[in-house]
Amino acid sequence: MERGKVDLGAALLPLVTAGFAAALLFFSRENNPTAALFPRVVGVATLAFVLLDLIINRTGIRHAAPPEGRASGGRLPAWGIPLALQAVYLALIYVIGFSLATFVFLLLCPLVLGYRRPAVVAAHAVLFTAVLVFTFQSVFHIRLPKGLIGFPW
Amino acid sequence: MWAEGFLTALQPLNLLYLVAGTAFGMLIGALPGLGPLFGVALMLPLTFGMPAATAIIFLTAVHAATAYGDSFASIMINAPGGVGSVASCWDGHPMAQKGQAGVAMGISTFGSFIGGVAGWISLVALSPLLIWVAVHMGPPEYFMVAVMALSLLALASEGQLLKGLALGGIGLLLSFVGRDPITAESRFTLGWDYLEDGLPLAAVVLGLFALSQAIVLAQQEGSISQLRRTGNVWEGFVKVLALPATIARASAVGIFMGVLPALGLSSANVVAYFVEKRAAKDPENFGRGDPRGLLAPEIAKNACIVGDLIPTFTLGIPGSSVTAIFLAAMIMHGLQPGAEFFSRSGALPYTVFAGILFAQVSFFVMGLLFARQFAKAVLIPNAILVPIIVALSFIASLALRGMLEDVLVTFVFGILGYIMSVYRYPAACLVLGLVLGDLVEANFHRSLLIGRGSYTIFFTRPFSLLLLLLTILMLLWPYRKTLLGRGQSPAGAVP
């Protein structure tokens, strides 16, 4: 059996899966027998599958290194940058509204990801935001979040 | 009657709305996450001033074209265009990555057309038989159909049975969040009103497949198709014609799932994919750009949406939320669905049926014109495409219910989807569980209520027993040689 450092990423998913199943099992005690029956059956089965998988494939969570590479020399792993950008975009929607947040996101994201033609990025950000907001707001009549600042569009 | 119906459907006004509905449907469909429900609901108010036949033809065109257009995003950017085209990502996108985006679009266009026509033929010719089957199916039979579909988890797990089963379990558990279908008691909502209606399937699917894909693409330089080519749309047509068995199987699945109320678009494409994979002699090629893996869900999806209309027109029972809108449109225009629709409406039913067929032709022709242009999306640099995918996913999540919480759900499932893709967890199992959870649970309890608490109801009804035996047969099929003592179990068979 291969012995190495435990890959936290590989261990995370079984833990989340088992934790979620266990949590639902725990909360199912608040429900009446009819409502609790399926969650209990499925919850116990899921826990059993996760445990069996961990026992049978325990070498699978032991690797010398995580399967996906890290950003060379950077502080964030390669996946961290797009994930952080998405989180910032979501937070911006809440604060400054969808239209402004989308414009800022479309402006920053390509540059952060290494695209080096600012004029193209700026034109794309303006055009795409305008088309998206117009289509959803004026054609589909969807109310887009205006954010805490109450941005008019 | 038929000739009159076809002639009425061919009137300039009807053709105009047919084309307009198709163009609008394709636009809506191409946006990730926005499926037929969104398109048809949005267009319903526009039909107020139209003649009845024109209104139904218009909505049918929107319906068919949205379902078809859903596949664009699935194939090009691995972001499901709607819940009905989740399975189209699994082989459609790998084809696009291999420089065969045009071929994939050809398969999608021709496959969707074939599926739509197969659904139409069933609507016209097999309605009485299909309705007979549908009315003889009660909760025990629906439960067994859902169990049969769940048995596909083993196949969806791609050789990682325990992981697949665990993820299927998580999908089922996620589907239990919200109100219990029998007692209406709140479950696992943690006091959060947002969760009372359960997790929104579209938001979950967008996160699992679209946002996770955005994270993957952001780490790669260049474009989706590293080969800088898209292939030929016509090549896709040729591939479709070479797969008659796939066409037959997927059409049957789509029509069957469409006719049965509650088994709709979201499950038809996924089930058709796994039925096709099960039937294949080389299932290991699925998920790597196998044309059969794209053709099956495409055919099933469009056969399902037409099949869905059968109980709506003939019995007045909507098979899904979309056909409930059709029902509303019919009533709004003074039409009585059910037997009276055929006996008292003159040539109108035939006009509507002709319109449904023309809707398939309409999106097929438009697809031919634009498929090649859409295929070029795979040549856009990833650095530009990634923010587009994220913005479209977020706005699609918002558009469905106007709730910012839906975007949060998409974001969270995006992280989960990314971790699953990195560690090769079969996300399809989670989707299968999530789609089927409500169906399994609700029909199990309903069956017990009908059977006064006795489990024998599942074995004493002929259809239910037949479905159970079919499920057992499907599960044992890979081991038939071992069981019969004639050889080894297949290498790919799960332990």
Side-chain angles (χ1 to χ4, degrees):
Chain A
M1 183 190 305
E2 185 190 343
R3 287 215 168 260
K5 211 168 96 182
V6 171
D7 180 356
L8 285 179
L12 183 67
L13 212 51
L15 284 177
V16 169
T17 310
F20 182 72
L24 258 64
L25 268 177
F26 176 76
F27 286 120
S28 70
R29 70 192 158 77
E30 295 168 1
N31 298 119
N32 65 57
T34 303
L37 177 67
F38 263 77
R40 281 179 189 159
V41 171
V42 177
V44 168
T46 305
L47 271 177
F49 292 139
V50 175
L51 285 174
L52 264 175
D53 186 44
L54 282 175
I55 292 165
I56 294 170
N57 302 314
R58 62 182 182 277
T59 52
I61 59 168
R62 288 178 182 276
H63 291 280
E68 286 281 307
R70 309 256 172 189
S72 55
R75 286 176 192 164
L76 276 174
W79 48 264
I81 296 165
L83 192 62
L85 283 168
Q86 287 181 18
V88 169
Y89 181 29
L90 183 56
L92 280 177
I93 292 174
Y94 183 70
V95 178
I96 61 175
F98 184 84
S99 314
L100 264 184
T102 301
F103 174 69
V104 173
F105 180 68
L106 289 170
L107 202 60
L108 289 181
C109 189
L111 298 174
V112 173
L113 294 179
Y115 196 71
R116 292 284 166 260
R117 294 167 72 182
V120 174
V121 172
H124 162 253
V126 171
L127 275 175
F128 191 78
T129 307
V131 169
L132 203 63
V133 171
F134 174 77
T135 308
F136 277 82
Q137 206 148 261
S138 304
V139 181
F140 299 164
H141 300 288
I142 304 295
R143 287 175 62 185
L144 299 174
K146 298 189 187 308
L148 296 176
I149 62 168
F151 192 70
W153 300 324
Chain B
M1 285 287 198
W2 273 108
E4 194 181 338
F6 269 88
L7 285 173
T8 311
L10 282 170
Q11 283 175 359
L13 181 72
N14 290 336
L15 288 181
L16 182 71
Y17 276 108
L18 189 76
V19 174
T22 306
F24 177 79
M26 282 172 67
L27 174 71
I28 294 276
L31 297 170
L34 300 182
L37 180 60
F38 181 84
V40 175
L42 200 67
M43 287 297 105
L44 179 66
L46 291 188
T47 66
F48 280 134
M50 295 180 194
T54 310
I56 304 295
I57 289 172
F58 176 65
L59 290 178
T60 309
V62 174
H63 192 202
T66 314
Y68 161 63
D70 269 356
S71 306
F72 296 170
S74 301
I75 294 167
M76 296 306 143
I77 56 176
N78 202 28
V83 291
S85 62
V86 174
S88 302
C89 297
W90 298 336
D91 274 288
H93 187 64
M95 287 185 78
Q97 285 177 310
K98 291 196 294 189
Q100 296 182 335
V103 182
M105 289 300 289
I107 292 174
S108 167
T109 305
F110 200 21
S112 298
F113 175 69
I114 290 173
V117 172
W120 184 81
I121 292 169
S122 71
L123 175 68
V124 172
L126 302 175
S127 283
L129 174 69
L130 293 170
I131 294 303
W132 183 84
V133 172
V135 295
H136 282 81
M137 299 234 350
E141 287 77 19
Y142 280 111
F143 173 72
M144 286 302 171
V145 169
V147 169
M148 186 189 273
L150 274 179
S151 74
L152 296 170
L153 271 174
L155 201 67
S157 59
E158 294 170 356
Q160 305 188 78
L161 182 66
L162 290 169
K163 285 187 177 69
L165 289 175
L167 279 183
I170 292 296
L172 285 169
L173 289 172
L174 286 170
S175 74
F176 299 148
V177 174
R179 292 197 179 277
D180 168 54
I182 301 298
T183 62
E185 187 183 339
S186 287
R187 294 182 299 187
F188 320 122
T189 59
L190 305 171
W192 193 13
D193 289 343
Y194 169 74
L195 290 175
E196 288 288 331
D197 287 336
L199 282 168
L201 181 61
V204 171
V205 165
L206 274 171
L208 278 179
F209 297 101
L211 279 196
S212 64
Q213 176 67 11
I215 300 173
V216 172
L217 285 179
Q219 298 174 64
Q220 298 166 354
E221 290 187 352
S223 55
I224 289 175
S225 175
Q226 303 290 347
L227 301 173
R228 306 294 301 166
R229 61 181 164 84
T230 59
N232 195 327
V233 174
W234 293 103
E235 211 180 309
F237 282 40
V238 175
K239 284 188 190 289
V240 171
L241 290 173
L243 297 167
T246 305
I247 293 172
R249 273 190 294 268
S251 301
V253 170
I255 293 164
F256 182 66
M257 302 291 264
V259 171
L260 300 178
L263 281 174
L265 203 54
S266 54
S267 40
N269 72 111
V270 177
V271 171
Y273 179 87
F274 289 115
V275 165
E276 191 57 30
K277 190 175 175 182
R278 185 183 284 275
K281 287 177 182 162
D282 50 352
E284 66 280 0
N285 287 339
F286 280 66
R288 297 175 186 170
D290 192 309
R292 292 167 295 176
L294 174 61
L295 181 61
E298 288 300 298
I299 289 177
K301 178 179 66 176
N302 280 65
C304 175
I305 61 162
V306 182
D308 218 6
L309 294 171
I310 296 174
T312 312
F313 287 140
T314 50
L315 295 176
I317 300 170
S320 64
S321 330
V322 186
T323 47
I325 299 173
F326 270 89
L327 204 63
M330 289 176 80
I331 294 166
M332 208 170 78
H333 286 278
L335 304 175
Q336 185 61 48
E340 282 189 25
F341 178 56
F342 294 91
S343 59
R344 295 189 183 177
S345 306
L348 188 63
Y350 302 94
T351 306
V352 170
F353 286 171
I356 293 170
L357 181 64
F358 292 155
Q360 315 305 318
V361 178
S362 180
F363 82 67
F364 178 65
V365 173
M366 280 194 156
L368 278 183
L369 293 174
F370 297 112
R372 194 166 168 73
Q373 310 310 319
F374 275 107
K376 288 179 180 162
V378 292
L379 304 178
I380 298 172
N382 286 345
I384 295 284
L385 195 61
V386 165
I388 293 178
I389 295 172
V390 176
L392 285 175
S393 300
F394 278 15
I395 203 168
S397 297
L398 265 173
L400 295 169
R401 303 195 297 182
M403 300 170 87
L404 199 55
E405 289 91 336
D406 285 351
V407 185
L408 189 63
V409 167
T410 302
F411 176 69
V412 170
F413 277 89
I415 299 172
L416 192 66
Y418 176 70
I419 299 173
M420 286 200 277
S421 74
V422 168
Y423 291 99
R424 308 268 186 270
Y425 272 68
C429 293
L430 195 144
V431 176
L432 204 58
L434 190 58
V435 165
L436 297 170
D438 189 51
L439 200 68
V440 173
E441 188 187 24
N443 286 300
F444 177 80
H445 286 304
R446 281 185 200 129
S447 305
L448 287 188
L449 284 173
I450 295 169
R452 297 177 191 275
S454 169
Y455 292 96
T456 54
I457 190 165
F458 296 110
F459 314 109
T460 50
R461 292 167 63 114
F463 268 19
S464 175
L465 186 62
L466 179 70
L467 288 164
L468 177 65
L469 293 174
L470 276 175
T471 306
I472 295 169
L473 190 70
M474 275 169 63
L475 286 171
L476 294 180
W477 190 251
Y479 305 99
R480 62 194 182 281
K481 285 183 181 169
T482 313
L483 291 171
L484 296 172
R486 276 193 232 150
Q488 302 290 316
S489 66
V494 285

